[in-house]
Amino acid sequence: MRILAGLCVLALPACAPMGRPAATPAAPMVEAWLTLPDQSQLLAQQPSLALEPGSGGPTAIKVNPAQRYQEMVGYGAAITDASAYLLQRRMSAAQREALLAELFGPKGIGLSFTRVTIGASDFSRSHYSYDDRPKGETDPGLAHFSIAPAKMEVLPTVRAARAVNPKLALMVSPWSPPGWMKTTDSLITGTLRDDAYLPFATYLRRTVQDFAAEVGPVDYLSIQNEPDFEPDSYPGMRLSAAQRARAIALLGPELAKAGLVTRILDWDHNWDLPEQPLWVLADAQAASHVAGVAWHCYKGDIAAQSQVRDRYPDKDVFFTECSGGEWSKAWPDSWAWTVRTLVIGAPRHWARGVLLWNLALDEKFGPHLGGCDNCRGVVTIDNANGAVSRNPEYYALGHASKFVVPGARRIASDSKADGVETVAFRNPDGTRVLLAFNAGGQPADMAVESEGRHFDYTLPANAAVTFRWPEVR
């Protein structure tokens, strides 16, 4: 018996004691989280599934972790003036702490990317820049520059969010430089004066420096929000591709000279004009300072992201603004579109980060001054009592942000002709994540196959499910 037992140990390390059958190793388990369009399940964990050995069949959705694409920064939404005001002034300290933990924390939906406006946007309670002067007066030396307005509510909110999630990436964007830099001598409409390019570059560099002193690194900067649009009721500025190239050529050295690692993103506007960022990237001097291109959702087709990236594969892609709103039915219309087009579609078209617009608005879709009067935040905060309502955009983001951590890689996954659309990721710890949405009109019976194993699932119409499973060695 001793000899036999010894042979057993040497030859078959997993064999059972004599007289007892060997135990079959338990199959790895797949977590599943589901949202249904009737809201009966909202990012709700389902019973786990066994990841069984073998093929899922010829129609299986195949996930291949060996085929890797872009590294992810993450998913999130903008901490606008309106969002920060509601968090800081309309919630108790306990309410605010709980909501920030839910939005940015690992036990919540884990948002890891945010955007802040440089000066006012339409979602501000007043229109301002960081160097306002009376009409006719200029300040090319920026003697009156101050980020004091941002220190009131916005930067404390960013600081608190980063305390919850230290990996939170920050992007900043101006809606308008100070009025004295513009042809209109106003925050509203106009373009950059010919003598204001260097003061504008200095203004942006000083903003980045002063923000970083308050909240830590500023990771990304676009030099103008929606530069092909001049809003007539809130700050904005038209800035052509040639003008942006000229400004970037000055800004890049300003940032480098100050020792700042902030990366410049061009465009920060819609999918309908890919020729605009292509023009800037064709300018060698500007392109040397451009890390990537940022996109918005309001016009055009998301394929523009891939069109530009195919021409310049060394430049990053970011999706940086889209708002839900009362112009479409929240469930299932906005829900379905946001999951399909942005949460799944944007990274499939190379986006390293996906940002929605306001993180929070109130029950009257504000506060705002000009601009959109029926935009919806990711969450709604009641002005009267600080109560929180979670909108379709919250659950759309959460189906990715809760599971895809900074540093994850998008990996290959199939989308099927029957309407099941997918995107997949490999996290730094090796876990695999697959988000699937059923855009068909009927429940979809699906098999998922990865690395010689598979599991089966039936996904209802207009529903999303996120699967997560461990690396199997």
Side-chain angles (χ1 to χ4, degrees):
M1 286 293 293
R2 284 198 194 110
I3 295 172
L4 287 173
L7 289 172
C8 181
V9 169
L10 290 171
L12 298 169
C15 70
M18 292 295 292
R20 231 192 244 171
T24 303
M29 301 305 289
V30 180
E31 298 173 353
W33 303 73
L34 178 69
T35 295
L36 298 175
D38 67 2
Q39 304 169 66
S40 60
Q41 300 281 320
L42 292 169
L43 197 54
Q45 188 165 12
Q46 307 298 299
S48 294
L49 308 163
L51 187 61
E52 301 284 2
S55 167
T59 63
I61 293 169
K62 294 180 173 59
V63 177
N64 182 4
Q67 191 171 344
R68 300 181 186 181
Y69 302 98
Q70 75 272 26
E71 182 178 313
M72 298 299 293
V73 170
Y75 290 79
I79 299 175
T80 57
D81 285 355
S83 300
Y85 168 78
L86 292 167
L87 279 153
Q88 298 292 335
R89 308 299 181 193
R90 288 293 179 262
M91 304 188 88
S92 68
Q95 287 175 317
R96 180 168 58 253
E97 182 179 345
L99 181 56
L100 289 172
E102 179 182 342
L103 291 170
F104 296 98
K107 295 183 179 179
I109 61 170
L111 300 180
S112 58
F113 193 20
T114 193
R115 183 178 181 222
V116 166
T117 69
I118 296 175
S121 72
D122 46 331
F123 285 92
S124 301
R125 292 181 300 137
S126 64
H127 294 163
Y128 66 91
S129 76
Y130 299 147
D131 196 344
D132 291 326
R133 305 307 305 146
K135 285 278 189 181
E137 185 177 321
T138 63
D139 184 21
L142 301 186
H144 299 279
F145 175 88
S146 172
I147 65 163
K151 291 182 178 180
M152 294 173 61
E153 293 149 1
V154 171
L155 295 181
T157 305
V158 175
R159 189 162 49 244
R162 272 187 160 164
V164 173
N165 183 356
K167 293 186 177 180
L168 179 67
L170 173 62
M171 175 188 178
V172 296
S173 306
W175 264 236
S176 174
W180 56 265
M181 294 188 188
K182 298 169 63 183
T183 54
T184 53
D185 197 9
S186 171
L187 296 174
I188 298 176
T189 70
T191 191
L192 199 62
R193 289 167 49 118
D194 195 58
D195 60 356
Y197 281 83
L198 186 54
F200 182 45
T202 305
Y203 176 83
L204 294 177
R205 185 260 299 165
R206 288 190 60 179
T207 299
V208 169
Q209 283 181 305
D210 287 8
F211 274 24
E214 293 291 322
V215 301
V218 174
D219 300 284
Y220 301 97
L221 162 69
S222 70
I223 67 165
Q224 176 58 44
N225 175 72
E226 299 190 342
D228 197 54
F229 178 52
E230 284 181 80
D232 61 7
S233 61
Y234 62 93
M237 179 171 72
R238 192 176 294 274
L239 208 61
S240 71
Q243 289 175 298
R244 297 197 310 279
R246 180 180 172 187
I248 289 168
L250 291 169
L251 176 61
E254 277 268 334
L255 297 175
K257 186 168 58 177
L260 297 166
V261 297
T262 304
R263 285 150 283 188
I264 299 172
L265 304 179
D266 184 47
W267 192 221
D268 211 7
H269 206 171
N270 292 326
W271 296 317
D272 62 330
L273 294 172
E275 60 271 20
Q276 284 256 3
L278 286 171
W279 197 102
V280 172
L281 293 176
D283 182 292
Q285 189 175 10
S288 67
H289 303 293
V290 173
V293 177
W295 299 93
H296 297 186
C297 73
Y298 306 112
K299 290 183 180 178
D301 188 278
I302 196 169
Q305 295 181 182
S306 289
Q307 178 186 341
V308 173
R309 198 265 176 192
D310 288 347
R311 291 274 298 276
Y312 294 93
D314 60 325
K315 302 301 183 184
D316 287 337
V317 179
F318 283 87
F319 180 83
T320 53
E321 186 184 313
C322 195
S323 181
E326 297 305 295
W327 51 83
S328 67
K329 188 177 179 182
W331 297 92
D333 297 350
S334 289
W335 151 253
W337 189 90
T338 303
V339 175
R340 296 177 65 188
T341 309
L342 304 183
V343 181
I344 292 176
R348 287 194 74 98
H349 286 282
W350 294 102
R352 295 188 61 209
V354 178
L355 285 169
L356 298 188
W357 187 208
N358 292 276
L359 180 67
L361 291 177
D362 66 21
E363 70 280 5
K364 296 180 180 179
F365 315 110
H368 70 96
L369 183 58
C372 183
D373 61 2
N374 61 352
C375 285
R376 188 169 54 234
V378 172
V379 298
T380 298
I381 297 175
D382 192 294
N383 259 303
N385 56 23
V388 176
S389 302
R390 294 150 191 83
N391 295 321
E393 293 77 17
Y394 171 96
Y395 298 104
L397 282 174
H399 265 281
S401 62
K402 186 175 178 67
F403 309 97
V404 180
V405 303
R409 286 271 184 182
R410 180 169 71 89
I411 58 177
S413 66
D414 297 331
S415 289
K416 309 302 288 184
D418 62 2
V420 177
E421 302 171 6
T422 74
V423 66
F425 304 91
R426 180 190 185 276
N427 281 320
D429 68 357
T431 54
R432 282 74 161 122
V433 175
L434 176 70
L435 169 56
F437 183 85
N438 180 9
Q442 300 296 324
D445 293 325
M446 49 189 278
V448 176
E449 179 182 326
S450 183
E451 301 173 286
R453 290 177 175 268
H454 75 280
F455 62 90
D456 299 316
Y457 195 80
T458 298
L459 184 59
N462 264 326
V465 62
T466 300
F467 301 110
R468 179 171 61 187
W469 63 93
E471 183 176 13
V472 180
R473 298 183 184 276

